[in-house]
Amino acid sequence: MFVVNHKKIFVILSALLVLASIVLVFVRGLNIGIDFTGGALLEVSYAENMPDLESVKVLVPEAESIRQVGADGYSIKTRFLTDAEREELIGKLIEQNSSMTVKKFSSVGPVVGQELRNKSILALIILLIATIIYVAISFRKVSKPVSSLWYGLIAIVTLMHDVIIPVGVFALFGLQVDILFVTALLAILGFSVNDTIVIFDRIREQLNDNKENNILEPFGVIVGRSLTQTMARSINTSLTVFIALAVLLVLGGEATYTFILALAIGVVAGSYSSIFLASPLLVYIASWQKKK
Amino acid sequence: MLAASIGLGYFLLVRGDFKLGLDLAGGTELIYEADTGDVSPEDVGSSMQALRDVIERRVNLFGVSEPVVQVETSSLVSGSEMHRLVVELPGVTDINEAVRLIGETPTLEFKLLTADVATTTGTTTIGSVFTETGLTGKYLERARLEFTGGLVQGIANEPVVALEFNSEGQELFAEITRNNIGSILAIFLDGEPISMPVIREEIITGTAQISGGFTPDEARELVKNLNFGALPIPIELVSTQSIGPTLGEETVQSGILAGIWSFALISIFLIFWYRLPGVIASVTLAIYAVLNLALFLFIPVTLTAAGIAGFILSVGIAVDSNILVFERIKEEVRNGKSIRDAVETGFSRAWTSIRDANITGLISGVVLFWLGTSIVKGFALTLSIGILTSMLTAVVIARTFLLAISSEKISRFFYLTGFNK
């Protein structure tokens, strides 16, 4: 069927996207938030007469970055501030413009930051491993023509694809990578594998049916048919989740904007990978194994 | 059943007192690291607990509503063990004030209750007047929990707190007790009296027993607190997060609005695509949402911005289970089964898919919960609860409804695409 017949194109497309994302990360770098590097982030807004960026820069020379946030505020990022230093900074800003209010302040010591970073990476790895194990066990009875381990491994490949692409997008637009972003990634992992499993599940069922009825069919045909049968369901599900996310993007506050964005990209990537990546890969593995 | 849940839902939303996380209610989170270098390993646990209690008492003194003070030990990823104290102060947005509340070293004092408490004529004023004795925590060497064996005052095995003063303290204590037999020597921790024993005799040994009808737990508490007064652990502020109230409010408003809109849009989609079963799905979804909200209220789950997002997300996912079943039913019907049979088979065959898919989601939730700060935990929790309830509603409730309506004549209304026998 359509997807299986053109599997080469789809796999190559995915590979390109992943490659592009990785390159972007190295070339543009990631805007890593203070959650992981340690440092301080001060978000302020002005009720009136907001001073322009340059004058704030002059006032806070030690700031690593100052960005405008919304129509009336700035986000100032510096190294870790002690109490006294923070008071001083706020004092200076109020002196400049007395209508300033502090919307949000975060200060993370370097050790805490690094710990969080390590924990995040560990969490991602644990999740990937747990998924392989679960899928392999779940599909252990379906070892022909592709061994169950391969189902697990392919699931992982699609997951990595789903995760690398949001990272690439964030690198492209210089969006902040913080603990919420990692949360989004883990959530994407959690339910992207959903889609993939449903399709695999259908393939498994067909294989079992064929075994019972002693029907022999090329694996590619089975996969193709499974895809057709599950296509509606797959797309509908992702669509409903996407609707929920889109609404949140539009109506949700700025506090969670990048978080929702990461989730949305992940859901789209996940849907794509289940249909256009996982199954073609399965067929490839099957024919490769047959050749051996 | 339907009416009941809609009523419940309305009630919850309007009157429900949801527990709001710091990023929604506004507030401050402070993380302190305790320098346990000077404390011997077996005392660390109890010292941290004592530290926690003292700080909680201080925070409560200032009337912060529902503060959270927790000990956190992290060792897994950082090699050496680090002990931290996490303090969450909802509603406190002045960081300076918050830090000041906490930063002072705890004080232990012994004060005498003066014998003549004046009662003014007519009205009784209960005023205890205490005089300082000059005996404070810095003279205390150690406090220990002991049980009196035998017949001290006729009570066997009564828990008492044994105090041991250093040499200066010993002298001072002797003087105080010599001159004030029969009076009450109150023990103050951080300005609050925690025990008011009576001085029975002069004590020159520099040791004392405080016995006053303690339960073993009370005695243990006291020992802990006294030791802490004597050995404070230095603490250092390593992380601050403070969110102003207006930002939080905005987020809540937009969250609610987003929730309502998603629900509306998803329902429209479902009804459009699946017709009558779609209506059932929407109703199931409504019940699902209400169920979740009820759980959030009663457990209780602290809602954060990410948490609300997690909930709305799980609404999208909950639909998944329903869709799985519907598609399966469509297929069974296409294969020639009667409506009723198709519904039955549809559910049972879809179950394995639902189970597998949701378990992976749950694994993700568990990992997130372990990883995260309180903000992340909120997300993990709402997502996991969402997945669990969705399994429940999809299988149990939807099935009941569908079976109820699946007679041949209504089946005309099924599916946009109709079906061919």
Side-chain angles (χ1 to χ4, degrees):
Chain A
M1 58 129 325
F2 180 67
V3 176
V4 174
N5 290 341
H6 295 101
K7 51 187 185 287
K8 212 191 228 162
I9 302 183
F10 292 120
V11 174
I12 292 185
L13 184 59
S14 296
L16 278 178
L17 281 173
V18 170
L19 208 59
S21 299
I22 298 183
V23 166
L24 272 172
V25 168
F26 280 111
V27 165
R28 298 270 302 217
L30 280 174
N31 176 2
I32 304 194
I34 60 166
D35 289 333
F36 298 121
T37 58
L41 190 69
L42 179 68
E43 216 174 283
V44 298
S45 74
Y46 299 90
E48 47 187 33
N49 293 334
M50 173 167 110
D52 64 38
L53 193 60
E54 285 309 314
S55 64
V56 178
K57 267 198 197 155
V58 162
L59 210 53
V60 190
E62 69 269 22
E64 277 171 25
S65 85
I66 305 184
R67 289 181 316 130
Q68 180 161 356
V69 168
D72 57 356
Y74 288 116
S75 174
I76 303 176
K77 189 170 166 182
T78 69
R79 59 168 174 73
F80 180 62
L81 294 176
T82 63
D83 271 349
E85 289 167 338
R86 181 201 71 232
E87 276 188 61
E88 205 186 302
L89 175 59
I90 295 184
K92 272 202 284 197
L93 286 170
I94 293 213
E95 230 183 285
Q96 183 191 46
N97 181 325
S98 57
S99 74
M100 178 207 90
T101 45
V102 175
K103 275 171 85 168
K104 188 170 157 181
F105 174 74
S106 291
S107 179
V108 177
V111 175
V112 173
Q114 186 178 61
E115 204 181 281
L116 204 58
R117 193 168 64 215
N118 292 343
K119 229 174 167 188
S120 303
I121 299 182
L122 194 61
L124 278 165
I125 297 181
I126 291 183
L127 197 59
L128 285 174
I129 296 183
T131 311
I132 300 193
I133 296 180
Y134 182 73
V135 173
I137 293 184
S138 207
F139 284 82
R140 69 188 173 286
K141 298 219 186 90
V142 203
S143 291
K144 292 188 186 16
V146 174
S147 83
S148 62
L149 189 60
W150 279 112
Y151 284 93
L153 286 173
I154 291 181
I156 296 302
V157 169
T158 54
L159 285 181
M160 299 216 296
H161 159 277
D162 297 338
V163 159
I164 293 181
I165 292 193
V167 174
V169 172
F170 267 56
L172 179 62
F173 291 107
L175 299 171
Q176 192 175 86
V177 170
D178 57 7
I179 186 74
L180 277 183
F181 180 71
V182 172
T183 309
L185 287 184
L186 289 168
I188 293 171
L189 286 181
F191 61 76
S192 159
V193 82
N194 262 15
D195 278 358
T196 320
I197 285 192
V198 167
I199 298 179
F200 282 3
D201 194 60
R202 180 57 67 109
I203 298 178
R204 164 172 67 179
E205 200 187 303
Q206 300 263 312
L207 282 172
N208 280 338
D209 275 352
N210 284 0
K211 216 192 308 179
E212 273 174 36
N213 301 329
N214 275 321
I215 305 177
L216 278 173
E217 271 178 316
F219 190 60
V221 172
I222 298 181
V223 172
R225 193 170 56 228
S226 304
L227 267 178
T228 327
Q229 290 174 340
T230 55
M231 181 86 81
R233 180 248 151 220
S234 219
I235 296 191
N236 280 353
T237 306
S238 303
L239 195 59
T240 49
V241 174
F242 191 73
I243 291 179
L245 287 174
V247 169
L248 271 172
L249 262 183
V250 169
L251 293 175
E254 47 174 288
T256 47
Y257 188 78
T258 45
F259 176 53
I260 306 286
L261 189 65
L263 278 175
I265 300 175
V267 166
V268 170
S271 190
Y272 172 84
S273 70
S274 309
I275 302 178
F276 297 102
L277 184 59
S279 317
L281 277 180
L282 255 185
V283 178
Y284 268 126
I285 301 284
S287 43
W288 176 61
Q289 285 214 323
K290 232 196 310 198
K291 284 196 200 122
K292 285 205 293 187
Chain B
M1 182 160 84
L2 183 60
S5 44
I6 291 186
L8 183 64
Y10 177 70
F11 172 76
L12 280 176
L13 266 179
V14 174
R15 311 271 215 81
D17 204 3
F18 287 97
K19 199 158 171 229
L20 292 177
L22 284 184
D23 59 345
L24 294 181
T28 306
E29 181 193 72
L30 301 167
I31 301 186
Y32 290 89
E33 192 161 310
D35 180 5
T36 52
D38 292 333
V39 180
S40 63
E42 67 263 15
D43 285 339
V44 168
S46 55
S47 303
M48 287 303 293
Q49 280 304 316
L51 176 66
R52 191 211 82 86
D53 291 342
V54 171
I55 299 225
E56 188 177 61
R57 205 171 305 145
R58 290 173 172 232
V59 165
N60 280 326
L61 261 174
F62 285 89
V64 177
S65 70
E66 295 188 30
V68 173
V69 184
Q70 277 171 349
V71 175
E72 199 180 87
T73 311
S74 64
S75 51
L76 185 56
V77 200
S78 48
S80 63
E81 218 175 58
M82 290 203 267
H83 300 273
R84 301 220 183 90
L85 200 67
V86 177
V87 181
E88 285 178 27
L89 306 165
V92 174
T93 47
D94 183 350
I95 313 176
N96 293 338
E97 190 188 311
V99 172
R100 199 170 26 87
L101 278 185
I102 302 198
E104 294 150 28
T105 17
T107 46
L108 179 69
E109 292 160 321
F110 292 79
K111 301 195 201 182
L112 282 170
L113 179 66
T114 47
D116 38 66
V117 174
T119 41
T120 52
T121 45
T123 54
T124 352
T125 355
I126 305 176
S128 336
V129 179
F130 292 98
T131 41
E132 309 269 356
T133 58
L135 184 63
T136 65
K138 58 180 201 256
Y139 297 108
L140 184 69
E141 181 85 24
R142 199 178 32 216
R144 237 185 3 244
L145 174 63
E146 282 178 357
F147 286 91
T148 56
L151 305 155
V152 173
Q153 324 231 301
I155 309 169
N157 284 336
E158 188 198 331
V160 291
V161 176
L163 297 177
E164 211 175 284
F165 290 102
N166 60 18
S167 47
E168 284 160 64
Q170 188 173 344
E171 270 175 47
L172 190 52
F173 193 51
E175 197 186 311
I176 298 172
T177 49
R178 188 182 330 130
N179 296 334
N180 295 287
I181 295 181
S183 305
I184 293 181
L185 182 67
I187 306 178
F188 282 74
L189 186 64
D190 272 7
E192 230 181 87
I194 52 174
S195 176
M196 302 222 261
V198 176
I199 302 176
R200 305 187 203 278
E201 57 185 358
E202 176 189 356
I203 302 173
I204 49 172
T205 54
T207 61
Q209 266 187 358
I210 310 178
S211 59
F214 296 121
T215 64
D217 281 339
E218 283 171 356
R220 216 171 283 131
E221 270 298 306
L222 189 53
V223 167
K224 200 167 70 181
N225 288 329
L226 286 173
N227 274 329
F228 181 61
L231 320 153
I233 312 178
I235 51 180
E236 191 188 320
L237 186 59
V238 289
S239 172
T240 330
Q241 284 245 30
S242 180
I243 300 187
T246 46
L247 190 62
E249 235 172 79
E250 278 169 26
T251 318
V252 172
Q253 305 281 25
S254 45
I256 296 183
L257 197 59
I260 298 180
W261 270 103
S262 334
F263 185 75
L265 285 175
I266 293 181
S267 300
I268 293 178
F269 170 69
L270 282 176
I271 299 182
F272 172 70
W273 192 258
Y274 291 112
R275 295 275 198 99
L276 191 56
V279 172
I280 293 186
S282 304
V283 167
T284 314
L285 215 63
I287 297 181
Y288 165 80
V290 168
L291 196 60
N292 263 319
L293 287 175
L295 278 172
F296 292 160
L297 191 58
F298 289 118
I299 288 185
V301 173
T302 311
L303 296 176
T304 61
I308 293 187
F311 171 59
I312 297 184
L313 195 61
S314 68
V315 165
I317 298 178
V319 178
D320 184 14
S321 309
N322 282 325
I323 293 184
L324 258 176
V325 173
F326 291 167
E327 290 291 334
R328 190 53 83 119
I329 294 179
K330 207 189 332 195
E331 236 184 274
E332 295 296 332
V333 166
R334 224 180 270 141
N335 284 345
K337 291 218 174 65
S338 72
I339 291 283
R340 207 167 180 93
D341 278 343
V343 170
E344 297 260 9
T345 337
F347 269 101
S348 46
R349 284 182 121 184
W351 171 244
T352 40
S353 296
I354 296 182
R355 182 200 63 198
D356 284 349
N358 282 332
I359 288 189
T360 48
L362 277 174
I363 294 179
S364 178
V366 167
V367 173
L368 271 175
F369 194 78
W370 166 77
L371 162 69
T373 58
S374 59
I375 292 187
V376 171
K377 276 196 171 80
F379 177 72
L381 207 54
T382 52
L383 198 63
S384 305
I385 293 181
I387 294 182
L388 286 172
T389 45
S390 83
M391 290 208 276
L392 183 71
T393 55
V395 175
V396 174
I397 300 181
R399 183 160 186 213
T400 326
F401 277 135
L402 270 176
L403 281 177
I405 64 144
S406 54
S407 58
E408 296 295 331
K409 46 183 165 35
I410 311 189
S411 55
R412 279 184 293 129
F413 293 116
F414 275 29
Y415 305 117
L416 177 67
T417 49
F419 61 89
N420 306 310
K421 266 251 171 145

